[in-house]
Each structure stands twice: as C-alpha cells, then as structure tokens.
Amino acid sequence: MELATTLKSQKVQNHVREVGINPNYWYAVGWASQLQVGEIVSVMIWQQAIAVYRDANGQLHALEDACPHKGVALHKGKVQGCHLACPYHGWEFNGSGDCVSIPYLAKEQKLPRAQARSYPIQEKYNIIWIFPGDPTLAIAQEPPCIPEFDQPELLMVPISAHFQAHFSICNENTMDVFHGFLHQNLQGWFDPVLLSLKETESAVSAEYAVSYKGRMAQFLGLSDRADEVTTLPVCVQYRYPHYYTSLQGVSSLYLMRLPVSPTESRSFALFFFKVRLPIWILNPLKPLLRAMLLRFVLPKFLAQDIEMIESEQQTYLANPQRRYVEINPAIIAIQRLIIRQYEQFMQQSSQSQPNGN
C-alpha cells in the first residue's frame, strides 16, 4: 500500500516501547567464525536464554540455557563430542535436547526423561541464526537473502552493535534518514527528502533523496571532488525483523536486529561498498580498507546513534506517560508494523491453545 509522504504531526504510540517480538522468524545471534569447535556461547533472544555450541563435527546446536535437572546454565558446561555436558553433575544432552548420559548411573540403568528445549539453528553468511518460535514453522521461513555476499568486486565490512534500548527505538533510528543532522560533524548526509513510502503486512519501504559532500563522500566514491554536492536516492526497507538499505550505485547494508529484552538490543550488520578499483588491485587491499572503515569511520557514526537511542530509552523509562510528536510517516508505519507483528503472534498463540486458553 502506498502511503503519503507528507511530513505532519502525528502522535507516537507509546506502547510500542513495551511490545514483544514475533519469534517466528530467524534471528541473528553472532558471527559463525567466532565460535570454534568445542566452544559454547550464551545468547539471549527476547528474554530466552540459549546455549549455542559447536560439536566435534563442526555442527551448531542450540539448547535452552538451563539444565532440566537443576536449572544450571548449560553454557557453563563443556562440549563432549557431539553432546553438551552440564557443569554441575555432568548430565549430557544431544543436539535435540535429549539426556543421553549421566556419568554416575550404571550403563544398563534407564535414563530419566530429562529434556532441554532445542531450537532450529543454522549458519549462513558467516552469521549464526536461531528460530526461537514454533519450530514447525522454521522450514517455511528463511534468513534474509544477501546476494552481495559472494560478489568479489564489493568490499564487505561486518560490524556489530549493542544498545541499552528497546528494539523499536533502534529500528526507528535506522528508518529515520532525517537524523543526518546528528552526523554533520562526520560529514554525513544532509537535505533529506522522503520521496515514497509503502507498507505491507510484514514490511515498510521508504525512499529518500539525500545529499553528500566532503572528504568522506569522496572516499566512498559518492563524488569526484570533496567540494561537490551529490544527491542520490536511498532505499530503506524494514522486512520484519531486519533491515535492507541501499545507496544507489554505491553501497548496501543488511542489518539484522536481535531484541534481547525490553531495554536491550543488539545488531549484526554487513556493509557492502563498491570501490572504484580493478578487482586485482581491490582484493589485496580489502583487509586494509576494511580495517580503516572499522577503525575510523563506522564506529564514530554508530557511537553517535547509540548515545541518542539510549537517551531516548532513559527518558521513556523515567516517564512512560510522556507524549511525543512525530512528523516522519515512515516512523509511524514502523511502529504499526512492530505492534501488528506482535499482536498477530499473540493471537495465533492464543488460538493454538486448547479452548483458547
């Protein structure tokens, strides 16, 4: 559905700062290359603690981070072959969560019915993905498609972030191109114009025209000279629960949001840049260019965003009844989508219960 792009006052739906997630999607929880064979990591998806481990065969598994015997955190245990052993009594669980061994029981003795919840898990694009909802729905869903991942002519830069804020606040920051004012000392974008806005049941897509100028724009290939102003279209798509952004002919961004709790969020992002160099020159330079962007460019923009996002969260917590005014219709559309996805999940969960209970 096409929406109006007029900037006019609208009331913010405060309860968007309290809603939960629709868990029936794949959520990114970490970088796959950082979890080695035999290692375990604890992750949190909307207050669900999950122990992720890589077994002796290199396969990933995800179990509820609580031993069904005493409730001890399983991520504190150890990987033994293809199993995860609880640190307290050594009970072992396989990737499906079944208790397969208790070290102080005789081999012929029947094991208790101790079951740790398991979660669908996969690794793709060097990202670990977990499906925290109904596991029967996992096959019908897929992580975001990232065709740029295997294109050698692009420079890929991975970056993660941690926010002490509700995921709705983080999502609004990503959609709100008008906050370029915040980044003006970093030679960010300016003079944004909302060109188009579309909304579906599961996505919001906005197109902006933005202008760039300065050494940063020249470095990123936006212009040939630092004193030139270049205006380009930027497309921002929120495909619940993740983002895709493209700057025409220059760069693209895939941002995977991880809601941790009502006041904590994470993100795992992949930036792709078109560098105007032949591939035979670009490939050996990629590590250096990636290091430069990760040290001198991207973290500075991110730090400014984090400060604003966390300030917004703290103000909300201090007075949840405070009223706010928004004039960007893309933000209002994002709020509707977040609330709608949560309400749809709650309705489906209610209907799946016997007698609606």
Side-chain angles (χ1 to χ4, degrees), residues 273-305:
F273 297 94
K274 288 188 176 180
V275 182
R276 292 182 292 184
L277 291 173
I279 293 180
W280 65 273
I281 296 178
L282 174 61
N283 281 338
L285 288 178
K286 280 183 177 179
L288 175 61
L289 294 173
R290 189 178 296 116
M292 289 176 59
L293 288 170
L294 284 172
R295 182 174 180 181
F296 299 111
V297 181
L298 298 178
K300 293 181 179 180
F301 280 87
L302 188 56
Q304 291 181 337
D305 285 328

PDB file of all heavy atoms in Angstrom, residues 273-305:
ATOM      1  N   PHE A 273      30.410  -2.138  -0.063  1.00  0.00           N
ATOM      2  CA  PHE A 273      30.789  -0.907  -0.741  1.00  0.00           C
ATOM      3  C   PHE A 273      31.343  -1.229  -2.128  1.00  0.00           C
ATOM      4  O   PHE A 273      32.111  -2.189  -2.298  1.00  0.00           O
ATOM      5  CB  PHE A 273      31.866  -0.156   0.056  1.00  0.00           C
ATOM      6  CG  PHE A 273      31.421   0.294   1.413  1.00  0.00           C
ATOM      7  CD1 PHE A 273      31.660  -0.484   2.539  1.00  0.00           C
ATOM      8  CD2 PHE A 273      30.750   1.501   1.580  1.00  0.00           C
ATOM      9  CE1 PHE A 273      31.253  -0.076   3.800  1.00  0.00           C
ATOM     10  CE2 PHE A 273      30.342   1.924   2.827  1.00  0.00           C
ATOM     11  CZ  PHE A 273      30.587   1.147   3.937  1.00  0.00           C
ATOM     12  N   LYS A 274      30.956  -0.421  -3.091  1.00  0.00           N
ATOM     13  CA  LYS A 274      31.559  -0.500  -4.412  1.00  0.00           C
ATOM     14  C   LYS A 274      32.771   0.421  -4.435  1.00  0.00           C
ATOM     15  O   LYS A 274      32.644   1.632  -4.250  1.00  0.00           O
ATOM     16  CB  LYS A 274      30.555  -0.087  -5.491  1.00  0.00           C
ATOM     17  CG  LYS A 274      29.462  -1.107  -5.734  1.00  0.00           C
ATOM     18  CD  LYS A 274      28.606  -0.747  -6.935  1.00  0.00           C
ATOM     19  CE  LYS A 274      27.574  -1.835  -7.207  1.00  0.00           C
ATOM     20  NZ  LYS A 274      26.719  -1.509  -8.383  1.00  0.00           N
ATOM     21  N   VAL A 275      33.925  -0.176  -4.640  1.00  0.00           N
ATOM     22  CA  VAL A 275      35.178   0.580  -4.672  1.00  0.00           C
ATOM     23  C   VAL A 275      35.638   0.660  -6.122  1.00  0.00           C
ATOM     24  O   VAL A 275      35.733  -0.352  -6.813  1.00  0.00           O
ATOM     25  CB  VAL A 275      36.261  -0.089  -3.802  1.00  0.00           C
ATOM     26  CG1 VAL A 275      37.533   0.735  -3.816  1.00  0.00           C
ATOM     27  CG2 VAL A 275      35.746  -0.263  -2.373  1.00  0.00           C
ATOM     28  N   ARG A 276      35.934   1.870  -6.564  1.00  0.00           N
ATOM     29  CA  ARG A 276      36.283   2.061  -7.975  1.00  0.00           C
ATOM     30  C   ARG A 276      37.744   1.690  -8.235  1.00  0.00           C
ATOM     31  O   ARG A 276      38.606   2.521  -8.511  1.00  0.00           O
ATOM     32  CB  ARG A 276      36.000   3.513  -8.377  1.00  0.00           C
ATOM     33  CG  ARG A 276      34.500   3.829  -8.381  1.00  0.00           C
ATOM     34  CD  ARG A 276      34.209   5.245  -8.813  1.00  0.00           C
ATOM     35  NE  ARG A 276      34.681   6.224  -7.850  1.00  0.00           N
ATOM     36  CZ  ARG A 276      34.481   7.533  -7.965  1.00  0.00           C
ATOM     37  NH1 ARG A 276      33.834   8.016  -9.013  1.00  0.00           N
ATOM     38  NH2 ARG A 276      34.929   8.369  -7.043  1.00  0.00           N
ATOM     39  N   LEU A 277      37.991   0.387  -8.087  1.00  0.00           N
ATOM     40  CA  LEU A 277      39.316  -0.171  -8.359  1.00  0.00           C
ATOM     41  C   LEU A 277      39.145  -1.507  -9.078  1.00  0.00           C
ATOM     42  O   LEU A 277      38.161  -2.225  -8.833  1.00  0.00           O
ATOM     43  CB  LEU A 277      40.093  -0.408  -7.052  1.00  0.00           C
ATOM     44  CG  LEU A 277      40.562   0.815  -6.265  1.00  0.00           C
ATOM     45  CD1 LEU A 277      41.146   0.370  -4.935  1.00  0.00           C
ATOM     46  CD2 LEU A 277      41.584   1.618  -7.054  1.00  0.00           C
ATOM     47  N   PRO A 278      40.060  -1.890  -9.942  1.00  0.00           N
ATOM     48  CA  PRO A 278      40.014  -3.224 -10.545  1.00  0.00           C
ATOM     49  C   PRO A 278      40.103  -4.292  -9.455  1.00  0.00           C
ATOM     50  O   PRO A 278      40.743  -4.087  -8.410  1.00  0.00           O
ATOM     51  CB  PRO A 278      41.241  -3.253 -11.455  1.00  0.00           C
ATOM     52  CG  PRO A 278      41.582  -1.816 -11.687  1.00  0.00           C
ATOM     53  CD  PRO A 278      41.179  -1.077 -10.462  1.00  0.00           C
ATOM     54  N   ILE A 279      39.468  -5.424  -9.704  1.00  0.00           N
ATOM     55  CA  ILE A 279      39.441  -6.474  -8.692  1.00  0.00           C
ATOM     56  C   ILE A 279      40.847  -6.919  -8.303  1.00  0.00           C
ATOM     57  O   ILE A 279      41.120  -7.195  -7.125  1.00  0.00           O
ATOM     58  CB  ILE A 279      38.616  -7.678  -9.191  1.00  0.00           C
ATOM     59  CG1 ILE A 279      37.134  -7.295  -9.313  1.00  0.00           C
ATOM     60  CG2 ILE A 279      38.769  -8.873  -8.257  1.00  0.00           C
ATOM     61  CD1 ILE A 279      36.244  -8.419  -9.790  1.00  0.00           C
ATOM     62  N   TRP A 280      41.764  -6.969  -9.266  1.00  0.00           N
ATOM     63  CA  TRP A 280      43.116  -7.451  -8.950  1.00  0.00           C
ATOM     64  C   TRP A 280      43.859  -6.496  -8.024  1.00  0.00           C
ATOM     65  O   TRP A 280      44.786  -6.898  -7.317  1.00  0.00           O
ATOM     66  CB  TRP A 280      43.914  -7.690 -10.227  1.00  0.00           C
ATOM     67  CG  TRP A 280      44.197  -6.458 -11.044  1.00  0.00           C
ATOM     68  CD1 TRP A 280      43.399  -5.907 -11.995  1.00  0.00           C
ATOM     69  CD2 TRP A 280      45.365  -5.632 -10.973  1.00  0.00           C
ATOM     70  NE1 TRP A 280      43.979  -4.778 -12.529  1.00  0.00           N
ATOM     71  CE2 TRP A 280      45.199  -4.593 -11.930  1.00  0.00           C
ATOM     72  CE3 TRP A 280      46.539  -5.664 -10.210  1.00  0.00           C
ATOM     73  CZ2 TRP A 280      46.150  -3.599 -12.119  1.00  0.00           C
ATOM     74  CZ3 TRP A 280      47.481  -4.668 -10.424  1.00  0.00           C
ATOM     75  CH2 TRP A 280      47.293  -3.667 -11.358  1.00  0.00           C
ATOM     76  N   ILE A 281      43.438  -5.240  -7.997  1.00  0.00           N
ATOM     77  CA  ILE A 281      44.003  -4.280  -7.043  1.00  0.00           C
ATOM     78  C   ILE A 281      43.200  -4.286  -5.749  1.00  0.00           C
ATOM     79  O   ILE A 281      43.755  -4.208  -4.644  1.00  0.00           O
ATOM     80  CB  ILE A 281      44.027  -2.858  -7.645  1.00  0.00           C
ATOM     81  CG1 ILE A 281      44.957  -2.796  -8.855  1.00  0.00           C
ATOM     82  CG2 ILE A 281      44.461  -1.833  -6.596  1.00  0.00           C
ATOM     83  CD1 ILE A 281      44.997  -1.436  -9.530  1.00  0.00           C
ATOM     84  N   LEU A 282      41.853  -4.399  -5.878  1.00  0.00           N
ATOM     85  CA  LEU A 282      40.977  -4.333  -4.711  1.00  0.00           C
ATOM     86  C   LEU A 282      41.192  -5.490  -3.745  1.00  0.00           C
ATOM     87  O   LEU A 282      41.278  -5.277  -2.526  1.00  0.00           O
ATOM     88  CB  LEU A 282      39.514  -4.312  -5.172  1.00  0.00           C
ATOM     89  CG  LEU A 282      38.449  -4.395  -4.071  1.00  0.00           C
ATOM     90  CD1 LEU A 282      38.559  -3.210  -3.126  1.00  0.00           C
ATOM     91  CD2 LEU A 282      37.054  -4.473  -4.687  1.00  0.00           C
ATOM     92  N   ASN A 283      41.300  -6.712  -4.257  1.00  0.00           N
ATOM     93  CA  ASN A 283      41.360  -7.879  -3.373  1.00  0.00           C
ATOM     94  C   ASN A 283      42.486  -7.817  -2.344  1.00  0.00           C
ATOM     95  O   ASN A 283      42.261  -8.050  -1.153  1.00  0.00           O
ATOM     96  CB  ASN A 283      41.456  -9.158  -4.202  1.00  0.00           C
ATOM     97  CG  ASN A 283      40.099  -9.570  -4.760  1.00  0.00           C
ATOM     98  OD1 ASN A 283      39.055  -9.177  -4.233  1.00  0.00           O
ATOM     99  ND2 ASN A 283      40.104 -10.347  -5.822  1.00  0.00           N
ATOM    100  N   PRO A 284      43.724  -7.502  -2.726  1.00  0.00           N
ATOM    101  CA  PRO A 284      44.777  -7.413  -1.695  1.00  0.00           C
ATOM    102  C   PRO A 284      44.602  -6.226  -0.752  1.00  0.00           C
ATOM    103  O   PRO A 284      45.153  -6.227   0.352  1.00  0.00           O
ATOM    104  CB  PRO A 284      46.070  -7.292  -2.506  1.00  0.00           C
ATOM    105  CG  PRO A 284      45.654  -6.794  -3.842  1.00  0.00           C
ATOM    106  CD  PRO A 284      44.300  -7.362  -4.088  1.00  0.00           C
ATOM    107  N   LEU A 285      43.835  -5.218  -1.195  1.00  0.00           N
ATOM    108  CA  LEU A 285      43.623  -4.034  -0.354  1.00  0.00           C
ATOM    109  C   LEU A 285      42.439  -4.185   0.599  1.00  0.00           C
ATOM    110  O   LEU A 285      42.274  -3.366   1.513  1.00  0.00           O
ATOM    111  CB  LEU A 285      43.401  -2.797  -1.231  1.00  0.00           C
ATOM    112  CG  LEU A 285      44.620  -2.234  -1.976  1.00  0.00           C
ATOM    113  CD1 LEU A 285      44.198  -1.050  -2.827  1.00  0.00           C
ATOM    114  CD2 LEU A 285      45.708  -1.833  -0.991  1.00  0.00           C
ATOM    115  N   LYS A 286      41.614  -5.210   0.396  1.00  0.00           N
ATOM    116  CA  LYS A 286      40.398  -5.349   1.197  1.00  0.00           C
ATOM    117  C   LYS A 286      40.651  -5.360   2.710  1.00  0.00           C
ATOM    118  O   LYS A 286      39.958  -4.669   3.456  1.00  0.00           O
ATOM    119  CB  LYS A 286      39.626  -6.602   0.769  1.00  0.00           C
ATOM    120  CG  LYS A 286      38.795  -6.410  -0.481  1.00  0.00           C
ATOM    121  CD  LYS A 286      37.988  -7.669  -0.813  1.00  0.00           C
ATOM    122  CE  LYS A 286      37.093  -7.439  -2.028  1.00  0.00           C
ATOM    123  NZ  LYS A 286      36.315  -8.651  -2.378  1.00  0.00           N
ATOM    124  N   PRO A 287      41.620  -6.131   3.212  1.00  0.00           N
ATOM    125  CA  PRO A 287      41.854  -6.108   4.668  1.00  0.00           C
ATOM    126  C   PRO A 287      42.185  -4.711   5.192  1.00  0.00           C
ATOM    127  O   PRO A 287      41.705  -4.316   6.257  1.00  0.00           O
ATOM    128  CB  PRO A 287      43.025  -7.073   4.852  1.00  0.00           C
ATOM    129  CG  PRO A 287      42.941  -7.987   3.678  1.00  0.00           C
ATOM    130  CD  PRO A 287      42.481  -7.133   2.549  1.00  0.00           C
ATOM    131  N   LEU A 288      42.984  -3.958   4.442  1.00  0.00           N
ATOM    132  CA  LEU A 288      43.362  -2.612   4.874  1.00  0.00           C
ATOM    133  C   LEU A 288      42.156  -1.669   4.830  1.00  0.00           C
ATOM    134  O   LEU A 288      41.914  -0.917   5.793  1.00  0.00           O
ATOM    135  CB  LEU A 288      44.472  -2.064   3.982  1.00  0.00           C
ATOM    136  CG  LEU A 288      44.894  -0.603   4.245  1.00  0.00           C
ATOM    137  CD1 LEU A 288      45.417  -0.461   5.665  1.00  0.00           C
ATOM    138  CD2 LEU A 288      45.931  -0.158   3.223  1.00  0.00           C
ATOM    139  N   LEU A 289      41.384  -1.708   3.749  1.00  0.00           N
ATOM    140  CA  LEU A 289      40.216  -0.842   3.641  1.00  0.00           C
ATOM    141  C   LEU A 289      39.182  -1.185   4.709  1.00  0.00           C
ATOM    142  O   LEU A 289      38.563  -0.303   5.311  1.00  0.00           O
ATOM    143  CB  LEU A 289      39.601  -0.976   2.241  1.00  0.00           C
ATOM    144  CG  LEU A 289      40.453  -0.462   1.069  1.00  0.00           C
ATOM    145  CD1 LEU A 289      39.790  -0.806  -0.253  1.00  0.00           C
ATOM    146  CD2 LEU A 289      40.660   1.046   1.191  1.00  0.00           C
ATOM    147  N   ARG A 290      38.996  -2.487   4.944  1.00  0.00           N
ATOM    148  CA  ARG A 290      38.048  -2.918   5.971  1.00  0.00           C
ATOM    149  C   ARG A 290      38.486  -2.420   7.344  1.00  0.00           C
ATOM    150  O   ARG A 290      37.650  -1.914   8.126  1.00  0.00           O
ATOM    151  CB  ARG A 290      37.947  -4.442   5.955  1.00  0.00           C
ATOM    152  CG  ARG A 290      36.837  -5.013   6.830  1.00  0.00           C
ATOM    153  CD  ARG A 290      36.779  -6.528   6.715  1.00  0.00           C
ATOM    154  NE  ARG A 290      36.428  -6.933   5.354  1.00  0.00           N
ATOM    155  CZ  ARG A 290      37.220  -7.611   4.547  1.00  0.00           C
ATOM    156  NH1 ARG A 290      38.448  -7.947   4.947  1.00  0.00           N
ATOM    157  NH2 ARG A 290      36.830  -7.954   3.335  1.00  0.00           N
ATOM    158  N   ALA A 291      39.754  -2.530   7.631  1.00  0.00           N
ATOM    159  CA  ALA A 291      40.282  -2.076   8.919  1.00  0.00           C
ATOM    160  C   ALA A 291      40.117  -0.569   9.086  1.00  0.00           C
ATOM    161  O   ALA A 291      39.783  -0.078  10.180  1.00  0.00           O
ATOM    162  CB  ALA A 291      41.746  -2.469   9.057  1.00  0.00           C
ATOM    163  N   MET A 292      40.336   0.183   8.011  1.00  0.00           N
ATOM    164  CA  MET A 292      40.188   1.638   8.080  1.00  0.00           C
ATOM    165  C   MET A 292      38.746   2.026   8.377  1.00  0.00           C
ATOM    166  O   MET A 292      38.481   2.896   9.223  1.00  0.00           O
ATOM    167  CB  MET A 292      40.644   2.268   6.767  1.00  0.00           C
ATOM    168  CG  MET A 292      42.154   2.223   6.520  1.00  0.00           C
ATOM    169  SD  MET A 292      42.608   2.888   4.908  1.00  0.00           S
ATOM    170  CE  MET A 292      41.966   4.563   5.035  1.00  0.00           C
ATOM    171  N   LEU A 293      37.790   1.391   7.689  1.00  0.00           N
ATOM    172  CA  LEU A 293      36.379   1.714   7.910  1.00  0.00           C
ATOM    173  C   LEU A 293      35.935   1.324   9.320  1.00  0.00           C
ATOM    174  O   LEU A 293      35.152   2.029   9.957  1.00  0.00           O
ATOM    175  CB  LEU A 293      35.515   1.007   6.866  1.00  0.00           C
ATOM    176  CG  LEU A 293      35.604   1.579   5.442  1.00  0.00           C
ATOM    177  CD1 LEU A 293      34.920   0.661   4.448  1.00  0.00           C
ATOM    178  CD2 LEU A 293      34.996   2.977   5.379  1.00  0.00           C
ATOM    179  N   LEU A 294      36.459   0.189   9.802  1.00  0.00           N
ATOM    180  CA  LEU A 294      36.079  -0.270  11.139  1.00  0.00           C
ATOM    181  C   LEU A 294      36.722   0.554  12.253  1.00  0.00           C
ATOM    182  O   LEU A 294      36.199   0.632  13.363  1.00  0.00           O
ATOM    183  CB  LEU A 294      36.457  -1.739  11.316  1.00  0.00           C
ATOM    184  CG  LEU A 294      35.550  -2.749  10.607  1.00  0.00           C
ATOM    185  CD1 LEU A 294      36.124  -4.152  10.694  1.00  0.00           C
ATOM    186  CD2 LEU A 294      34.141  -2.722  11.210  1.00  0.00           C
ATOM    187  N   ARG A 295      37.830   1.181  11.961  1.00  0.00           N
ATOM    188  CA  ARG A 295      38.511   1.960  12.996  1.00  0.00           C
ATOM    189  C   ARG A 295      38.171   3.444  12.948  1.00  0.00           C
ATOM    190  O   ARG A 295      37.961   4.074  13.991  1.00  0.00           O
ATOM    191  CB  ARG A 295      40.025   1.781  12.868  1.00  0.00           C
ATOM    192  CG  ARG A 295      40.806   2.528  13.929  1.00  0.00           C
ATOM    193  CD  ARG A 295      42.280   2.215  13.877  1.00  0.00           C
ATOM    194  NE  ARG A 295      43.007   2.937  14.915  1.00  0.00           N
ATOM    195  CZ  ARG A 295      44.330   2.861  15.095  1.00  0.00           C
ATOM    196  NH1 ARG A 295      45.060   2.077  14.305  1.00  0.00           N
ATOM    197  NH2 ARG A 295      44.913   3.550  16.060  1.00  0.00           N
ATOM    198  N   PHE A 296      38.094   4.002  11.748  1.00  0.00           N
ATOM    199  CA  PHE A 296      37.997   5.459  11.638  1.00  0.00           C
ATOM    200  C   PHE A 296      36.629   5.986  11.189  1.00  0.00           C
ATOM    201  O   PHE A 296      36.375   7.181  11.330  1.00  0.00           O
ATOM    202  CB  PHE A 296      39.056   5.972  10.647  1.00  0.00           C
ATOM    203  CG  PHE A 296      40.458   5.664  11.051  1.00  0.00           C
ATOM    204  CD1 PHE A 296      41.216   4.746  10.334  1.00  0.00           C
ATOM    205  CD2 PHE A 296      41.031   6.277  12.159  1.00  0.00           C
ATOM    206  CE1 PHE A 296      42.526   4.460  10.699  1.00  0.00           C
ATOM    207  CE2 PHE A 296      42.330   6.000  12.530  1.00  0.00           C
ATOM    208  CZ  PHE A 296      43.082   5.086  11.810  1.00  0.00           C
ATOM    209  N   VAL A 297      35.762   5.142  10.658  1.00  0.00           N
ATOM    210  CA  VAL A 297      34.523   5.661  10.071  1.00  0.00           C
ATOM    211  C   VAL A 297      33.276   5.130  10.772  1.00  0.00           C
ATOM    212  O   VAL A 297      32.585   5.855  11.484  1.00  0.00           O
ATOM    213  CB  VAL A 297      34.461   5.341   8.557  1.00  0.00           C
ATOM    214  CG1 VAL A 297      33.177   5.918   7.950  1.00  0.00           C
ATOM    215  CG2 VAL A 297      35.690   5.903   7.841  1.00  0.00           C
ATOM    216  N   LEU A 298      32.978   3.854  10.581  1.00  0.00           N
ATOM    217  CA  LEU A 298      31.698   3.309  11.025  1.00  0.00           C
ATOM    218  C   LEU A 298      31.469   3.423  12.535  1.00  0.00           C
ATOM    219  O   LEU A 298      30.372   3.788  12.968  1.00  0.00           O
ATOM    220  CB  LEU A 298      31.575   1.853  10.561  1.00  0.00           C
ATOM    221  CG  LEU A 298      31.578   1.646   9.040  1.00  0.00           C
ATOM    222  CD1 LEU A 298      31.490   0.165   8.698  1.00  0.00           C
ATOM    223  CD2 LEU A 298      30.452   2.427   8.389  1.00  0.00           C
ATOM    224  N   PRO A 299      32.461   3.127  13.389  1.00  0.00           N
ATOM    225  CA  PRO A 299      32.212   3.230  14.832  1.00  0.00           C
ATOM    226  C   PRO A 299      31.852   4.647  15.289  1.00  0.00           C
ATOM    227  O   PRO A 299      31.118   4.805  16.272  1.00  0.00           O
ATOM    228  CB  PRO A 299      33.532   2.765  15.454  1.00  0.00           C
ATOM    229  CG  PRO A 299      34.160   1.910  14.417  1.00  0.00           C
ATOM    230  CD  PRO A 299      33.796   2.550  13.119  1.00  0.00           C
ATOM    231  N   LYS A 300      32.358   5.660  14.606  1.00  0.00           N
ATOM    232  CA  LYS A 300      32.042   7.031  15.005  1.00  0.00           C
ATOM    233  C   LYS A 300      30.578   7.358  14.737  1.00  0.00           C
ATOM    234  O   LYS A 300      29.904   7.980  15.563  1.00  0.00           O
ATOM    235  CB  LYS A 300      32.963   8.003  14.266  1.00  0.00           C
ATOM    236  CG  LYS A 300      34.427   7.887  14.671  1.00  0.00           C
ATOM    237  CD  LYS A 300      35.295   8.892  13.927  1.00  0.00           C
ATOM    238  CE  LYS A 300      36.752   8.783  14.348  1.00  0.00           C
ATOM    239  NZ  LYS A 300      37.616   9.765  13.634  1.00  0.00           N
ATOM    240  N   PHE A 301      30.082   6.952  13.580  1.00  0.00           N
ATOM    241  CA  PHE A 301      28.663   7.136  13.291  1.00  0.00           C
ATOM    242  C   PHE A 301      27.822   6.342  14.289  1.00  0.00           C
ATOM    243  O   PHE A 301      26.829   6.847  14.829  1.00  0.00           O
ATOM    244  CB  PHE A 301      28.347   6.654  11.864  1.00  0.00           C
ATOM    245  CG  PHE A 301      28.702   7.639  10.793  1.00  0.00           C
ATOM    246  CD1 PHE A 301      29.976   7.669  10.247  1.00  0.00           C
ATOM    247  CD2 PHE A 301      27.764   8.541  10.320  1.00  0.00           C
ATOM    248  CE1 PHE A 301      30.320   8.569   9.250  1.00  0.00           C
ATOM    249  CE2 PHE A 301      28.085   9.453   9.325  1.00  0.00           C
ATOM    250  CZ  PHE A 301      29.369   9.469   8.785  1.00  0.00           C
ATOM    251  N   LEU A 302      28.226   5.097  14.534  1.00  0.00           N
ATOM    252  CA  LEU A 302      27.478   4.217  15.423  1.00  0.00           C
ATOM    253  C   LEU A 302      27.437   4.754  16.849  1.00  0.00           C
ATOM    254  O   LEU A 302      26.388   4.706  17.519  1.00  0.00           O
ATOM    255  CB  LEU A 302      28.097   2.818  15.393  1.00  0.00           C
ATOM    256  CG  LEU A 302      27.355   1.701  16.116  1.00  0.00           C
ATOM    257  CD1 LEU A 302      25.934   1.568  15.603  1.00  0.00           C
ATOM    258  CD2 LEU A 302      28.115   0.389  15.950  1.00  0.00           C
ATOM    259  N   ALA A 303      28.539   5.294  17.325  1.00  0.00           N
ATOM    260  CA  ALA A 303      28.589   5.823  18.695  1.00  0.00           C
ATOM    261  C   ALA A 303      27.604   6.974  18.874  1.00  0.00           C
ATOM    262  O   ALA A 303      26.953   7.096  19.929  1.00  0.00           O
ATOM    263  CB  ALA A 303      30.001   6.282  19.026  1.00  0.00           C
ATOM    264  N   GLN A 304      27.477   7.821  17.863  1.00  0.00           N
ATOM    265  CA  GLN A 304      26.516   8.922  17.950  1.00  0.00           C
ATOM    266  C   GLN A 304      25.085   8.394  17.993  1.00  0.00           C
ATOM    267  O   GLN A 304      24.249   8.896  18.751  1.00  0.00           O
ATOM    268  CB  GLN A 304      26.711   9.871  16.770  1.00  0.00           C
ATOM    269  CG  GLN A 304      28.008  10.661  16.822  1.00  0.00           C
ATOM    270  CD  GLN A 304      28.169  11.617  15.655  1.00  0.00           C
ATOM    271  OE1 GLN A 304      27.576  11.451  14.601  1.00  0.00           O
ATOM    272  NE2 GLN A 304      28.989  12.647  15.841  1.00  0.00           N
ATOM    273  N   ASP A 305      24.799   7.387  17.184  1.00  0.00           N
ATOM    274  CA  ASP A 305      23.467   6.798  17.188  1.00  0.00           C
ATOM    275  C   ASP A 305      23.153   6.147  18.532  1.00  0.00           C
ATOM    276  O   ASP A 305      22.056   6.306  19.075  1.00  0.00           O
ATOM    277  CB  ASP A 305      23.342   5.758  16.075  1.00  0.00           C
ATOM    278  CG  ASP A 305      23.219   6.379  14.699  1.00  0.00           C
ATOM    279  OD1 ASP A 305      22.647   7.483  14.602  1.00  0.00           O
ATOM    280  OD2 ASP A 305      23.701   5.776  13.724  1.00  0.00           O
TER     281      ASP A 305
END
